[in-house]
């Protein structure tokens, strides 16, 4: 048995993804997003979260998945990446679960069209349920983090 990880489980399309709980600041319902010009299309804009300006990224756009309409289940998961907070738009935030770090296998080169560099690995939750673990430092590369730090409302 390896280290136990607590993970937030969220959905994008038909897949389930995970982010370690200690990287997640808060999970918010959808709220108005202020568009920022001259940013990549997957950066939807910024929100004012209790007085803090937080850039918001559509993970579907980041992973080149088809965009869908936002629903009542859509959420913004605010995570800490490189000393800043960033919001990820996801289809749903479903669950918190414990997984054994030893149960995380290396990701295949491409999972559902998502490049492996964005993934930390694949965790097997049970016989027919896999959880795709995100590599947050790659979901936002250093250049994008610098660009996001410059966003102001």
């Amino acid at each position: 048995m390896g280290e136990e990880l607590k993970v937030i489980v969220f959905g994008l399309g038909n897949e389930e993804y995970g982010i370690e709980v200690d990287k997640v600041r808060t999970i918010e319902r959808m709220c108005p997003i202020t568009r920022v010009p001259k940013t990549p299309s997957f950066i939807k804009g910024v929100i004012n979260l209790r007085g803090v300006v937080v850039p918001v990224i559509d993970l579907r756009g980041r992973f080149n998945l088809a965009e869908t309409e936002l629903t009542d289940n859509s959420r913004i998961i605010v995570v800490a990446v490189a000393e800043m907070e960033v919001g990820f738009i996801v289809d749903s935030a479903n669950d918190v679960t414990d997984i054994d770090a030893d149960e995380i296998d290396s990701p295949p080169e491409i999972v559902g069209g998502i490049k492996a560099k964005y993934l930390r690995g694949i965790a097997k939750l049970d016989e027919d349920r896999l959880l795709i673990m995100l590599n947050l430092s790659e979901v936002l590369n250093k250049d994008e983090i610098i660009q996001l730090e410059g966003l102001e409302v």
Side-chain angles (χ1 to χ4, degrees):
M1 285 289 286
E3 174 187 1
E4 281 282 310
L5 295 175
K6 252 198 192 332
V7 175
I8 300 280
V9 178
F10 66 90
L12 273 183
N14 296 328
E15 304 295 334
E16 287 187 304
Y17 295 82
I19 300 175
E20 292 94 336
V21 165
D22 62 355
K23 304 249 188 334
V24 175
R25 294 284 187 252
T26 181
I27 299 174
E28 302 289 329
R29 292 187 181 278
M30 291 306 298
C31 58
I33 298 172
T34 303
R35 188 87 182 109
V36 178
K38 298 183 184 151
T39 56
S41 62
F42 63 86
I43 298 176
K44 291 301 174 193
V46 294
I47 58 173
N48 182 340
L49 190 61
R50 294 179 273 290
V52 177
V53 175
V54 177
V56 176
I57 291 171
D58 184 349
L59 277 187
R60 283 180 162 276
R62 181 63 171 136
F63 295 157
N64 293 320
L65 300 173
E67 285 196 35
T68 61
E69 292 292 315
L70 299 175
T71 68
D72 289 342
N73 293 327
S74 298
R75 296 289 183 268
I76 298 174
I77 299 178
V78 179
V79 299
V81 179
E83 306 300 316
M84 70 177 292
E85 292 185 352
V86 178
F88 293 140
I89 298 174
V90 301
D91 293 347
S92 61
N94 306 330
D95 201 0
V96 176
T97 191
D98 292 315
I99 58 173
D100 186 330
D102 290 344
E103 294 292 312
I104 300 175
D105 296 327
S106 296
E109 276 306 302
I110 293 187
V111 176
I114 298 171
K115 294 182 182 136
K117 74 174 187 173
Y118 298 139
L119 309 179
R120 175 176 166 192
I122 309 285
K124 189 173 182 180
L125 297 182
D126 54 41
E127 283 307 309
D128 56 352
R129 192 169 169 212
L130 296 176
L131 186 63
I132 302 168
M133 298 295 297
L134 289 188
N135 179 349
L136 291 181
S137 62
E138 286 297 333
V139 171
L140 285 178
N141 67 37
K142 287 182 179 53
D143 293 339
E144 290 165 341
I145 290 170
I146 290 166
Q147 184 178 359
L148 289 177
E149 286 173 340
L151 292 183
E152 295 290 332
V153 179

